Amino acid sequence: MNVLNFVNAFFSDSAHWQGYDGIPARLGEHVQYTLEALALAAAIGLPIGLVTGHYGRGGNALSLVATAGRALPSFGLLVLMTTLLGFGMLPVMIPLVVLAVPPILVTTYEAMRSVDPSPVDAARGMGMHESRILFQVELPVALPLILSGLRSAAIQIVSTATIAAYVSLGGLGRYIVDGLYQRNYEKVVGGATLVAVLALVTLALFWAVARVAVSPGVRRS
Amino acid sequence: MSEFLHDFFDMPSDLQHSWIGLVGLHLREALLPVAAGLLLALPIAQLCIRFRWLYPPVLGVTTVLYAVPSLAFFVVLINYTGQTELTVMIPLAVYSLVVLVPAIVDGVRSVPQETLSAATAMGFGPVRRYFQVQLPIAVPAIIAGLRVATVSSISLVSVGMLIGNQGALGNLLHDAQIYNRPELTWNSVITTALLAILVDALLVLVRVLLTPWMPSGSAGRRQAPALKDAAR
Amino acid sequence: MIRIDSVTKRYPDGTVAVDRLSLEIPDRSITVLVGPSGCGKTTTLRMINRMVEPSEGTILLDGEDIQRQPVTTLRRSMGYVIQNAGLFQHRTIVDNIATVPRMLGWGKQKARARAAELMERVGLDAALAKRYPYQLSGGQQQRVGVARALAADPPVLLMDEPFSAVDPVVRKGLQDELLRIQDELGKTIVFVTHDIDEAIKLGTMVAVMRTGGHLAQYAPPAELLSSPADAFVEDFLGGDRGIRRLSFFPSARLELTSDPVIPLDATAEQIAAPDAPYLLVTDADGRPLGWSEPRDLVAGDIRPDRLLSHGRPFVPGTDSLRVALDCAVLSPTGWAVAVDTGGRVTGVVSQATIGEAIRSAHAAGLDDEKVAG
Amino acid sequence: MIRIDSVTKRYPDGTVAVDRLSLEIPDRSITVLVGPSGCGKTTTLRMINRMVEPSEGTILLDGEDIQRQPVTTLRRSMGYVIQNAGLFQHRTIVDNIATVPRMLGWGKQKARARAAELMERVGLDAALAKRYPYQLSGGQQQRVGVARALAADPPVLLMDEPFSAVDPVVRKGLQDELLRIQDELGKTIVFVTHDIDEAIKLGTMVAVMRTGGHLAQYAPPAELLSSPADAFVEDFLGGDRGIRRLSFFPSARLELTSDPVIPLDATAEQIAAPDAPYLLVTDADGRPLGWSEPRDLVAGDIRPDRLLSHGRPFVPGTDSLRVALDCAVLSPTGWAVAVDTGGRVTGVVSQATIGEAIRSAHAAGLDDEKVAG
Amino acid sequence: SSGGTSEDPLKGGGAESGTVVVGSNNFAESILLADIYGEALKAKGIKVTYKPNIGSRETTYGLMKNGAITLLPEYNGSLLAYLDAKAKPKTVEETTTAINGKLDPKLELLKPSAAQNKDSVTLNAETAKKYKLTSDSSIGELKDVAKDLVFGGSPEFQTRHQGLVGLKSVYGLEFKSFKSLDAGGPLTQAALKKNTVQAADLFTTDPTIAREKFVVLKDPENLFGFQNVQPLVRKGELSKEGAAALDAVSAKLDTKALLQLDAQVQLEKKDPLDVAKAWLKSAGLV
Ligand SMILES: Nc1ncnc2c1ncn2[C@@H]1O[C@H](COP(=O)(O)OP(=O)(O)OP(=O)(O)O)[C@@H](O)[C@H]1O
Ligand SMILES: Nc1ncnc2c1ncn2[C@@H]1O[C@H](COP(=O)(O)OP(=O)(O)OP(=O)(O)O)[C@@H](O)[C@H]1O
Ligand SMILES: [Mg+2]
Ligand SMILES: [Mg+2]
C-alpha cells in the first residue's frame, strides 16, 4: 500500500519533527485554531440554542439560520474574508465559526426540545425558577445530545481548519497544500493522517467528557 | 452599477464557462456525488439494519473518512483519477455517506413496530415490506439527510479549485486573486450559497409532495432527525 | 378449527414464553386469551400465523399442520389486528384497507370497492376514505385496522389487544361493534387482552393464562365466574364475580306483578287494594313516576314531586338479571321497575323474586359445580 | 380551604377550558375532579398552583387570594404529582425526593434524611435510594413522585391523573397506599382522574365535570351513585350504580343466622332440626365446606366432595353490603356465608335479608332523594 | 523525501489526436502566455483546447509527460532547475542544451523568446530601508539579517533549488521562517505589502513591484538562472506550421511587451484571452 508507505516515510523523517514546519508546531497551531473556533461557535450557538429550546420558540428561524450557515461555502468565505480583511486569524475564524454554529445551535435546540416535558412540568409545579429549570432539569438531560452537536462541530472544524493553509496560515493544512504544490504525496498523506488522528482524538475526548459529565441516570436512557 | 454587474458576471476566459455554465457544472459536481452516495447508502444502511453489530463500525469508518480533509482526498485521488471532476466527486460521495447512512438507518428503524408487525402478518415478504412499507415511511428522514448532504456537497465543491480549475464556482476564487478581481469572490460565495438554499428548498418541496401523509402541524417536529443530521 | 397441540415456545434468550399449551379454538366464535402482562398471550397468538415459530408441538388449522403451508399464504388467510391499529401511515384509509386484496392481485377498482364496503361495515364514514391515518381519531384508526384485517374475507381473525389504547367509552363502542360484526360474519376470532372484563364481554370461550405460559383455565365466561379453577384465576377475575355472572342470565322469565302499579289518577280503592308496602305511580302513558307508601297517597291529589325516585327501570328480555338486580338494589323500595322498550311499565319485581330467579338459573347449571370449595 | 370562585379560563386560541366554575374544596380530605377528556380538569388543577392563570374569577387559599402570593412560594406550599411521575432522570431517587427541601435551603443531610423517611412512608425499599429513575418500575416511580411532592410537608397536594399510566393491579395498590397516607397525614388533596371508579374509591367529594369546563355535579360518591344530577352524570357513572353504591354500606349490622350451619360430623338430629332448604357443612375448625339439601346428607357419612360450592364468603364489618350481596348471588343456594377474619363461619344470611338491609340503609338516606324521576 | 516524484501516476484528460491541448500554471502570466500560444495556433487553423490554471510545475510537467497536455509556456531556467538542480548554465543556449539533456524524451523545447520573467528575492520598501538595501544590492547582502526575516513564496518554492534550497546553498541565507503563499500572486503581494513577510519571491514582471516600490535584489550567482519564456511541447504532436507560429510569437515577445501585457491583465483587469488576441493582432501575428 503506497499510502501506508507515505505515512511511514512522513513520520519517520526526523526533519518533520522540528522547526516552525515540524509536526509539533503545526499540530499546535491546528489545535489552537480548532479550540478558538469551537469556543467562539459554542459561545454563539449554546446560549441561543438553550434559550430558544427552553421556550420552544424560534425553531423555524433557527432552522433557516442553520441552512443559511451551512449553505455558505467555507472555502469561498475564507477567500472572501481574506480579501476583505487581509491576513490574520479573523478571516480564518469566521468561516470556521459559520461552519460550526449550525450544528451546535440546532442540536442544542433539538436537545432541549426533546427533553421529556413532564419533569419540567413537575419542576415548575414545585416552584422552581425558569433559569433553574433550564440548568438543573433540562440541561443535564439534554447534555448527551448537546455534546454530540459540539462533537460534530469540532470534527468539522478539525477537518476544515486545513483550508487556513490556503491563505498562508499554519496548521496541518500546511502539509496538504504544500504537498499539493510540491507534488509531495508523503506530505499530503501525512498531513491527512494527522488530521484524521486529531479527529479521532476529538471523538475520544468527547466520549470521555460525556462519561464524566452525563449522569448515569441519563446515559442509560 | 451596470458596469459592476457586467464585471460581476464576466467570467475570465480560463474558466471556459459562462456564469450559467459554472452554475450547471457546480450542480453536477455537487449533486451527482450525493446521488451516488444515496445509491451506495441504501444497501449499506440495509446491511446495518439487518446486522445491528455492523452499524457502529460503519459509523466509525464514515466519520473518520469524513474527517479527512477534502483537499487531501483530492490530491491522493489524482493518482488514480487524474485532474478531473471525478476526483472531486468521489470524496463528496464518500462524505455524503456519513449523513445518509444514519439518516436511512434511523428512518427505517423509526417505522413503528406495530406497522411492521401488521405488514408481516398480512403476508408481506421481507423485500416487499422494505420497499412498500419501511422505505416510504423513512422518506422524510432520508430527505432530511439528503438536504444536509446536498448543502454541504455544494459548499465543498469549491475546494476542487485547488487541484486546477475543478471547483466550478470555486474556480472564481482563484481567478479573483490572480486577476485582482474581488467581485468574483463575492460572486462565487453568493452564488454557491444561493444554490445551496435553492436546492434545499427544492428538497423540502419534494418532501412535502412525497409525504402527503405527514401531519403538517408536526412537520416541524418531524424535522428533528433532519436537524440532528445537520449536526454531523 | 384451530388446534394448538402441546406447544412450547422458548426464545433464544431462554425465556419460556409458552409452556406445553394445548387449546382447541372453535370455529365461528370468539376465543379470548387473557392473562397478566408477559404470560405469553402475544406469543401464542403469533404462533398461529407463524410470526413466531413454536419450539415444540404443532398447530393445526382445519386438521392440517400450519407448517405445511407457505407462510405468506397462511398469513393472508388470517386477518391480524393490533393495538394502535398498526396502520400504514403513508397510505390513505382506503388503500390501507385494500392492502391485502391488492397483494392477492385484485384489480384496483375491485379492491377499493371492497374497501368502501368494509368501511361501512365497521361504521366508518365514506368521507374518511381519502384521509391519512393521522387525520383519524384512535377509535377510527382501530376500526380501519379491523376493516383492513377483514378485507380479503379471511376465515380467521387474530386480534392482539386491539382496543387497549383507546379510552374506555370508545373501547366499549368498539367492543359492541366487534360483537355485531361477528354476528354478521361469523369469523373464527382469537382475541388477546389483559382486561378480564373485555374477555368476559367478548369471549365465547376464555383461556386464562398464567405467567410462564401456562393455561390456568379454559371455559366459557359464565363458568369462569362461577367456578374459577384456582386461587390465581379467582384473584384475576376480581370482585363482584357473582353479580357479573348475572350478565349471562336473561331477565325474560322473571315473574312480574302489576298489582302495586297504579295510575296518577288512581281512585281511593285502587290505592287501598294492593297488599304491598309501596305503590308505583305511573303517568297517563304508563311511564313510571315514583314510589310511595299507600298511606301517603290521596286519591285525586297525587303529587309527582312528592314521590320517591323509582330508580332505574329495566327492560325484561333485553337486560340481564344483573341489570334487574341493580335496579332493585338502587330502588329505595327494593322493587325493580320493568318497562317495555317504549318506557311503559310492564310490572314490578321484588329483590326477593330476583333472588329466586338467580337461584333457579344457578340450579340449571349446577351439574358443573358439584365440587365443594 | 381552597375556594374556587366563579373561575373561567379562556386560552389564547379561544378555547374555553373552564367556564364559571365554583368549588369549595374541604381541608384534609380528597377532592376528586373527574370527567371526560378535555373537560378542563387539568386546567382547573393548574389554576390552583397558578401554572395556569384564570381569565376571570378568583381562587382563595385559606381565605386569601392566591394572586397575592409570590408564585414560587405558593407552588412550594403545594405538592404536585403527575402522570409518569415526571422524575428527574439525572438524579437519584433520594435526590429527586429531596429537591424541594434543598430548594428551600435545607442542608444536604437533613434533606436526605427527610427523603429516606418519606421513602418508607410511601412504601419504597431504602435500597432504592441510590438508584436512578430508569431502574424503577412504573409503580415505584409513581411512589417516588408522591414522596417528592410530600417532601416539604406541604398542606396541599395536587395530583393530575397520577396513576393512569400504570397497570390496573399496581394502580389498585397505589390507590390503597394513597388512602393510607392520607389517613396518616391528613393533607388537602385535589385529585384529577378520568376514571370514575378511581374517583368513587378515593374521593371524599367528587366533582364531575362536563366538556366545556362546566361542573355537572359536586357530591360525595354515594350520593353521586344514588342520585346523579342528570343524564350526563348518570351515563358517565356507568352501569351497576346500585350495586356499586353498596360499597358505602357496611355489612356489620346484617342479621346472621347460624341455624343452617352444621359440622361435618353432625348427627341425624342436627341435620333434621333446622327448617332450611339448604345446610352449610363446616369442618372441625368451623371453616365452610359446602352446601347441601338436608335430604342428601347422611349422618356420619357426609362426603365433602359431594357438597355444593359455598361460593365466596364475606367478613361482616370488613366487607361492604356489596360483597355480601355478591356472595349471596354467587352462592348456588342464594345464601351468603359470613366468616370471621380467621375464615371460621359466623353465620349465613339470605339474599332476602341482605335486600332488607339494603332497603333500610337506603331509608336512612332517603331525605336526599325526595324527587321522583 | 522522494515519495512523490518516484512514480508519476498523472494521467487523464488525454488529448484527442490532432488537437493541441494548451496548459498553463496557476498564475496570471502563465495563463496569458498559454492564451497567446493557443490563439496563434488557432490562427493557423490548428484545433486548440485549453487546460489553464493547473497548478505548479511539479504538476504540469507530469501532465506533459503523460500527454494530458501538449503545449505549455515554460521558463527555461526554472525548468532546468526543476530537472537538474545543480546545473549552472551561463547563457541561454547553454540552458537549452542542459535542458535537452535532461528533458523527457517525449518532450522538446521550441525556440526561446527574449522575454524574461524570473523569480526573485524582493523586499518591501520598509525592510529595504531598514537594512539600507537598494535594487543595486545583491541577495548575498541579506546573509546576516536573514534570520530576522520571514520569507514568503509559493509552497513549492520551499523545496525547489531555485528557491529556499538554493538561497541557502548558494547565498547561505537562512530565514527566520517561510510562509507559504502563492506563486508571486496577490497573496504574496499583499503579505509583502503588509510586512507579514519581509522578503518574498515575486516575478520580475510583476507590475506591482513598481507600484508598491518593492526592491528586487540582484542575483549575481544567477541562482534564478535565465528565465526566458519558451514553449514546451510534446514531440511530434505539433505540426511544423504550428511550431513555426510559436517561433514567430517567441521572436516578437520581449520582456517589455510581457510587462505591459501583465499590467493589462493584473492592473487593468482585462481578460487574458482578449489581451492575447489584441497583442497577436498588433504584432501582426494573426
Ligand atoms: N423476542 C423475544 N425474545 C425473548 N423473550 C421474549 C420475546 N418476546 C417475548 N418475550 C418474553 O416472553 C414472555 C411472553 O411474552 P408475550 O409478549 O407473549 O407476553 P404477553 O402475554 O403478550 O404480554 P403483554 O400483555 O405485556 O403483551 C415475556 O416474558 C417476554 O418478555
Ligand atoms: N395551552 C392550551 N392552549 C389552548 N387550549 C388548551 C391548552 N391547554 C388545554 N387546552 C384545551 O382546554 C381544554 C381543557 O383541557 P384540559 O387539559 O384541562 O383537559 P383535561 O380535562 O385535563 O383532559 P384530559 O383528561 O385529556 O387530560 C381542552 O379542550 C384542551 O384542548
Ligand atoms: Mg402482548
Ligand atoms: Mg388532563
Side-chain angles (χ1 to χ4, degrees):
Chain A
M1 256 320 275
N2 53 20
V3 169
L4 287 183
N5 290 341
F6 290 155
V7 172
N8 188 34
F10 180 78
F11 288 102
S12 52
D13 185 343
S14 64
H16 285 143
W17 288 97
Q18 42 200 305
Y20 65 85
D21 195 32
I23 291 171
R26 292 301 184 209
L27 199 57
E29 288 166 350
H30 205 94
V31 169
Q32 181 205 335
Y33 300 162
T34 304
L35 289 182
E36 285 176 10
L38 187 63
L40 269 174
I44 297 168
L46 281 182
I48 300 181
L50 286 176
V51 171
T52 50
H54 173 73
Y55 290 106
R57 300 250 170 77
N60 288 335
L62 278 192
S63 154
L64 274 182
V65 168
T67 305
R70 276 185 288 125
L72 283 174
S74 309
F75 186 59
L77 208 53
L78 172 75
V79 174
L80 184 61
M81 289 303 142
T82 318
T83 313
L84 291 180
L85 308 171
F87 294 98
M89 279 312 284
L90 195 58
V92 176
M93 279 303 135
I94 288 174
L96 290 182
V97 170
V98 167
L99 177 78
V101 164
I104 295 177
L105 194 59
V106 166
T107 338
T108 306
Y109 175 82
E110 279 306 325
M112 293 294 280
R113 296 304 301 144
S114 67
V115 171
D116 180 1
S118 64
V120 177
D121 192 49
R124 209 163 273 146
M126 278 175 205
M128 257 193 210
H129 293 289
E130 290 301 309
S131 61
R132 206 162 172 153
I133 292 177
L134 200 164
F135 287 108
Q136 294 189 0
V137 178
E138 292 176 297
L139 187 59
V141 179
L143 196 57
L145 253 181
I146 293 177
L147 282 176
S148 86
L150 284 170
R151 186 189 61 207
S152 354
I155 302 260
Q156 288 189 40
I157 294 175
V158 165
S159 169
T160 312
T162 50
I163 59 173
Y166 180 71
V167 290
S168 85
L169 277 141
L172 296 171
R174 207 58 277 157
Y175 295 130
I176 296 169
V177 171
D178 290 359
L180 169 68
Y181 285 113
Q182 297 161 4
R183 268 212 110 53
N184 183 343
Y185 291 117
E186 193 182 296
K187 259 194 183 172
V188 174
V189 173
T193 308
L194 282 170
V195 173
V197 168
L198 195 55
L200 283 176
V201 170
T202 309
L203 281 182
L205 270 177
F206 272 94
W207 179 84
V209 169
R211 291 280 324 166
V212 175
V214 176
S215 154
V218 176
R219 207 182 302 145
R220 160 55 222 284
S221 40
Chain B
M1 183 66 206
S2 79
E3 193 182 333
F4 171 79
L5 271 188
H6 176 263
D7 284 354
F8 195 79
F9 289 107
D10 177 32
M11 298 295 108
S13 56
D14 66 282
L15 298 185
Q16 302 176 313
H17 281 286
S18 65
W19 180 77
I20 290 291
L22 283 179
V23 167
L25 188 65
H26 200 98
L27 284 179
R28 192 177 66 199
E29 280 189 53
L31 299 186
L32 281 182
V34 178
L38 183 61
L39 285 183
L40 208 60
L42 279 171
I44 295 178
Q46 187 49 26
L47 284 176
C48 290
I49 292 162
R50 243 314 182 10
F51 309 103
R52 277 183 161 267
W53 53 266
L54 205 59
Y55 190 40
V58 164
L59 266 189
V61 169
T62 51
T63 307
V64 169
L65 284 177
Y66 185 70
V68 175
S70 49
L71 181 55
F73 242 124
F74 296 158
V75 176
V76 172
L77 273 177
I78 290 180
N79 277 337
Y80 307 96
T81 51
Q83 206 151 21
T84 59
E85 285 173 22
L86 196 60
T87 306
V88 177
M89 296 199 295
I90 289 174
L92 295 186
V94 171
Y95 289 159
S96 72
L97 292 183
V98 83
V99 179
L100 292 177
V101 170
I104 301 172
V105 170
D106 295 347
V108 170
R109 278 196 191 155
S110 74
V111 176
Q113 195 55 46
E114 294 112 61
T115 308
L116 288 185
S117 291
T120 310
M122 277 183 221
F124 277 82
V127 177
R128 195 199 278 255
R129 196 178 77 169
Y130 182 69
F131 284 104
Q132 293 190 2
V133 180
Q134 291 175 291
L135 214 48
I137 294 180
V139 159
I142 296 175
I143 292 190
L146 273 179
R147 287 175 60 193
V148 176
T150 311
V151 168
S152 69
S153 188
I154 289 176
S155 154
L156 277 172
V157 165
S158 303
V159 183
M161 161 224 121
L162 288 170
I163 59 164
N165 269 12
Q166 299 301 338
L169 287 166
N171 298 342
L172 287 175
L173 300 170
H174 184 250
D175 278 13
Q177 303 207 322
I178 61 176
Y179 301 134
N180 282 314
R181 290 181 54 190
E183 74 275 6
L184 294 183
T185 312
W186 284 103
N187 186 329
S188 170
V189 171
I190 293 173
T191 310
T192 311
L194 286 181
L195 271 190
I197 290 172
L198 207 71
V199 172
D200 190 60
L202 270 178
L203 281 172
V204 172
L205 189 70
V206 168
R207 206 264 294 131
V208 170
L209 290 180
L210 278 184
T211 58
W213 46 270
M214 263 179 47
S216 50
S218 71
R221 300 245 31 103
R222 282 294 297 227
Q223 239 176 1
L227 290 173
K228 259 177 247 153
D229 285 327
R232 281 185 233 280
Chain C
M1 194 184 63
I2 301 168
R3 192 191 158 101
I4 299 176
D5 204 359
S6 190
V7 160
T8 293
K9 174 65 196 181
R10 211 171 290 107
Y11 281 109
D13 66 357
T15 317
V16 177
V18 174
D19 194 12
R20 276 161 299 162
L21 179 75
S22 294
L23 218 54
E24 294 206 351
I25 293 166
D27 276 350
R28 312 185 142 262
S29 63
I30 303 182
T31 301
V32 179
L33 305 179
V34 68
S37 189
C39 69
K41 305 179 294 290
T42 297
T43 303
T44 306
L45 192 78
R46 286 172 161 234
M47 285 194 288
I48 298 176
N49 70 354
R50 289 183 58 195
M51 286 170 73
V52 172
E53 298 284 1
S55 313
E56 285 162 34
T58 49
I59 297 177
L60 306 177
L61 176 64
D62 296 327
E64 202 198 344
D65 190 338
I66 57 167
Q67 297 289 337
R68 296 270 170 75
Q69 283 191 49
V71 69
T72 50
T73 316
L74 177 80
R75 288 182 189 157
R76 286 173 200 176
S77 74
M78 295 180 175
Y80 186 69
V81 189
I82 52 181
Q83 187 178 322
N84 293 325
L87 297 185
F88 298 143
Q89 54 188 100
H90 60 298
R91 294 196 181 162
T92 58
I93 301 311
V94 60
D95 286 341
N96 259 286
I97 300 177
T99 307
V100 178
R102 295 285 290 146
M103 265 200 301
L104 294 174
W106 297 22
K108 196 157 193 155
Q109 283 312 313
K110 193 176 158 206
R112 294 214 163 168
R114 171 73 177 151
E117 177 196 329
L118 278 164
M119 285 182 67
E120 202 189 323
R121 168 137 280 151
V122 300
L124 285 169
D125 189 349
L128 303 177
K130 290 281 163 205
R131 294 220 187 145
Y132 287 96
Y134 79 89
Q135 295 166 306
L136 265 53
S137 73
Q140 288 172 326
Q141 291 192 21
Q142 213 49 266
R143 286 195 159 87
V144 176
V146 174
R148 187 175 63 174
L150 288 170
D153 204 19
V156 176
L157 224 54
L158 308 178
M159 309 181 82
D160 194 352
E161 311 209 16
F163 307 146
S164 62
V166 290
D167 76 65
V169 178
V170 177
R171 190 184 319 163
K172 190 178 167 306
L174 288 167
Q175 290 166 348
D176 294 339
E177 205 81 22
L178 180 69
L179 287 172
R180 185 180 58 68
I181 293 171
Q182 167 66 357
D183 243 24
E184 291 169 19
L185 302 179
K187 300 284 173 194
T188 303
I189 299 180
V190 187
F191 190 106
V192 163
T193 178
H194 61 252
D195 175 356
I196 183 68
D197 288 321
E198 189 169 63
I200 285 172
K201 174 168 181 182
L202 297 179
T204 312
M205 289 293 283
V206 176
V208 183
M209 293 178 70
R210 180 206 316 257
T211 311
H214 302 281
L215 183 62
Q217 187 167 7
Y218 187 42
E223 184 183 328
L224 215 56
L225 286 168
S226 63
S227 324
D230 55 23
F232 166 77
V233 179
E234 187 173 343
D235 212 56
F236 191 74
L237 285 165
D240 281 353
R241 276 198 288 120
I243 290 160
R244 278 150 71 204
R245 186 176 170 235
L246 296 183
S247 297
F248 298 97
F249 298 154
S251 64
R253 299 229 305 268
L254 270 182
E255 251 176 67
L256 304 178
T257 165
S258 25
D259 288 355
V261 182
I262 57 165
L264 192 58
D265 54 1
T267 59
E269 288 102 79
Q270 278 177 306
I271 293 172
D275 176 23
Y278 291 94
L279 299 182
L280 179 71
V281 181
T282 62
D283 67 10
D285 290 335
R287 281 174 231 281
L289 289 172
W291 292 99
S292 177
E293 290 187 56
R295 62 162 189 253
D296 291 344
L297 294 175
V298 180
D301 186 27
I302 301 179
R303 304 250 299 272
D305 58 335
R306 300 185 62 181
L307 299 172
L308 295 174
S309 161
H310 65 273
R312 175 162 81 116
F314 74 101
V315 183
T318 305
D319 288 331
S320 67
L321 276 188
R322 180 176 179 178
V323 179
L325 178 64
D326 189 56
C327 296
V329 165
L330 198 56
S331 161
T333 62
W335 289 68
V337 177
V339 295
D340 61 17
T341 47
R344 278 175 297 268
V345 175
T346 57
V348 296
V349 55
S350 73
Q351 197 186 319
T353 311
I354 296 172
E356 274 312 308
I358 293 171
R359 217 177 42 247
S360 47
H362 242 296
L366 272 191
D367 301 332
D368 318 337
E369 301 172 28
K370 274 275 166 71
V371 178
Chain D
M1 192 184 63
I2 301 169
R3 192 191 157 98
I4 299 177
D5 204 358
S6 189
V7 160
T8 295
K9 174 66 195 180
R10 209 171 291 107
Y11 280 109
D13 66 356
T15 317
V16 177
V18 173
D19 194 12
R20 275 160 300 160
L21 180 75
S22 294
L23 218 55
E24 293 206 350
I25 294 167
D27 276 349
R28 312 185 142 262
S29 64
I30 304 183
T31 300
V32 179
L33 305 180
V34 68
S37 188
C39 70
K41 307 180 292 291
T42 297
T43 303
T44 305
L45 192 79
R46 288 162 78 104
M47 284 193 290
I48 297 175
N49 69 356
R50 291 184 56 195
M51 288 173 74
V52 171
E53 299 285 2
S55 313
E56 285 162 34
T58 50
I59 297 177
L60 306 176
L61 177 64
D62 296 327
E64 201 199 345
D65 190 338
I66 56 169
Q67 296 290 339
R68 295 271 170 75
Q69 283 191 49
V71 68
T72 49
T73 315
L74 178 80
R75 289 182 189 161
R76 284 174 199 178
S77 75
M78 295 181 175
Y80 184 61
V81 189
I82 53 179
Q83 187 178 322
N84 293 324
L87 299 185
F88 303 141
Q89 56 179 115
H90 60 292
R91 294 197 183 159
T92 57
I93 299 311
V94 62
D95 287 341
N96 259 285
I97 298 176
T99 306
V100 179
R102 296 284 289 145
M103 264 200 302
L104 294 174
W106 297 22
K108 198 159 191 152
Q109 284 312 312
K110 191 177 160 207
R112 292 212 165 168
R114 170 73 177 152
E117 175 197 330
L118 278 163
M119 285 184 67
E120 202 188 322
R121 168 136 281 150
V122 300
L124 285 169
D125 189 350
L128 302 178
K130 289 281 161 205
R131 294 221 189 144
Y132 286 95
Y134 77 90
Q135 294 166 306
L136 264 52
S137 72
Q140 287 171 326
Q141 292 192 19
Q142 213 49 265
R143 286 193 159 87
V144 177
V146 174
R148 187 175 61 176
L150 289 170
D153 203 20
V156 176
L157 223 53
L158 307 179
M159 310 182 79
D160 193 353
E161 310 209 16
F163 307 148
S164 63
V166 293
D167 76 65
V169 178
V170 177
R171 190 182 320 163
K172 192 180 166 306
L174 289 167
Q175 290 166 351
D176 294 340
E177 204 82 22
L178 181 68
L179 287 172
R180 186 181 56 68
I181 293 172
Q182 168 63 359
D183 243 24
E184 292 170 20
L185 302 180
K187 300 285 174 194
T188 302
I189 299 181
V190 188
F191 190 106
V192 164
T193 178
H194 61 250
D195 176 355
I196 183 69
D197 288 323
E198 190 169 63
I200 286 172
K201 175 167 178 180
L202 297 180
T204 312
M205 289 294 282
V206 176
V208 182
M209 293 179 69
R210 180 206 315 256
T211 311
H214 303 280
L215 182 64
Q217 187 168 7
Y218 187 43
E223 185 185 325
L224 215 55
L225 287 167
S226 63
S227 323
D230 55 23
F232 166 77
V233 178
E234 186 172 346
D235 211 57
F236 192 73
L237 285 165
D240 281 352
R241 275 198 290 123
I243 291 160
R244 278 151 71 203
R245 186 176 169 236
L246 296 181
S247 298
F248 297 96
F249 298 155
S251 62
R253 300 228 303 269
L254 269 182
E255 251 175 66
L256 305 179
T257 166
S258 24
D259 289 354
V261 183
I262 58 166
L264 192 57
D265 56 1
T267 60
E269 289 101 79
Q270 277 176 306
I271 292 172
D275 175 26
Y278 291 95
L279 298 181
L280 180 73
V281 183
T282 61
D283 67 11
D285 290 335
R287 279 174 233 279
L289 289 172
W291 291 101
S292 178
E293 290 185 54
R295 63 162 187 255
D296 290 343
L297 294 175
V298 181
D301 186 27
I302 300 179
R303 303 249 300 270
D305 58 336
R306 298 184 61 183
L307 299 172
L308 296 175
S309 160
H310 66 274
R312 176 162 82 116
F314 75 100
V315 184
T318 306
D319 289 330
S320 66
L321 275 188
R322 180 177 179 175
V323 179
L325 179 64
D326 189 56
C327 296
V329 166
L330 196 56
S331 160
T333 64
W335 288 68
V337 178
V339 295
D340 60 19
T341 47
R344 280 175 297 268
V345 176
T346 57
V348 295
V349 56
S350 73
Q351 198 186 317
T353 312
I354 297 173
E356 275 311 309
I358 293 171
R359 218 178 41 247
S360 45
H362 242 295
L366 271 191
D367 301 332
D368 319 337
E369 301 172 28
K370 274 273 165 75
V371 179
Chain E
S1 62
S2 58
T5 42
S6 61
E7 48 183 331
D8 218 331
L10 290 173
K11 52 176 174 287
E16 192 184 316
S17 66
T19 304
V20 172
V21 183
V22 187
S24 72
N25 295 102
N26 59 347
F27 52 92
E29 187 179 275
S30 181
I31 296 169
L32 171 69
L33 289 169
D35 286 340
I36 291 174
Y37 290 167
E39 292 310 305
L41 292 178
K42 272 190 191 166
K44 294 286 173 282
I46 297 170
K47 257 205 206 151
V48 169
T49 57
Y50 290 106
K51 202 149 178 22
N53 222 343
I54 293 173
S56 62
R57 174 171 298 104
E58 282 79 350
T59 306
T60 45
Y61 188 75
L63 290 178
M64 285 297 292
K65 269 203 305 195
N66 74 9
I69 49 182
T70 358
L71 168 63
L72 183 75
E74 262 296 4
Y75 300 88
N76 53 5
S78 298
L79 181 59
L80 178 59
Y82 174 71
L83 294 171
D84 178 7
K86 290 180 203 69
K88 292 227 172 62
K90 295 274 183 294
T91 63
V92 179
E93 289 68 34
E94 263 182 59
T95 310
T96 309
T97 318
I99 292 174
N100 283 337
K102 292 283 178 182
L103 201 60
D104 189 277
K106 293 193 287 291
L107 306 179
E108 64 177 338
L109 280 171
L110 301 183
K111 290 209 175 96
S113 72
Q116 287 221 36
N117 177 11
K118 295 190 197 184
D119 290 283
S120 69
V121 173
T122 301
L123 306 177
N124 56 22
E126 193 183 337
T127 312
K129 203 168 148 206
K130 183 171 172 194
Y131 298 108
K132 303 197 173 53
L133 297 169
T134 66
S135 55
D136 289 330
S137 315
S138 104
I139 296 174
E141 291 175 44
L142 282 177
K143 192 162 185 224
D144 296 330
V145 297
K147 59 176 193 308
D148 297 325
L149 303 181
V150 178
F151 195 93
S154 65
E156 61 270 24
F157 191 84
Q158 219 179 343
T159 48
R160 280 182 183 170
H161 180 71
Q162 283 194 331
L164 278 195
V165 179
L167 284 175
K168 185 177 176 195
S169 61
V170 176
Y171 289 107
L173 302 188
E174 279 200 75
F175 291 97
K176 181 168 139 199
S177 69
F178 179 84
K179 215 166 182 45
S180 285
L181 299 162
D182 53 3
L187 284 178
T188 315
Q189 296 158 6
L192 198 58
K193 196 167 131 191
K194 293 203 174 139
N195 206 27
T196 313
V197 298
Q198 289 76 46
D201 168 29
L202 284 187
F203 294 129
T204 50
T205 53
D206 190 332
T208 52
I209 293 178
R211 200 181 62 191
E212 302 292 339
K213 305 199 169 50
F214 294 152
V215 175
V216 180
L217 298 180
K218 289 215 149 39
D219 178 19
E221 298 293 330
N222 231 350
L223 169 64
F224 297 117
F226 292 90
Q227 298 292 10
N228 300 73
V229 174
Q230 195 168 7
L232 178 66
V233 295
R234 281 181 69 84
K235 262 184 201 157
E237 290 187 22
L238 189 65
S239 60
K240 281 230 158 54
E241 220 186 350
L246 294 184
D247 286 348
V249 167
S250 294
K252 288 267 182 186
L253 194 66
D254 56 18
T255 305
K256 200 172 147 229
L258 187 56
L259 246 170
Q260 206 241 327
L261 294 179
D262 280 341
Q264 286 184 37
V265 172
Q266 292 178 45
L267 298 182
E268 295 165 36
K269 305 195 178 179
K270 291 193 182 157
D271 191 89
L273 190 59
D274 298 338
V275 172
K277 282 178 180 163
W279 180 76
L280 285 170
K281 206 164 186 184
S282 68
L285 292 168
V286 293

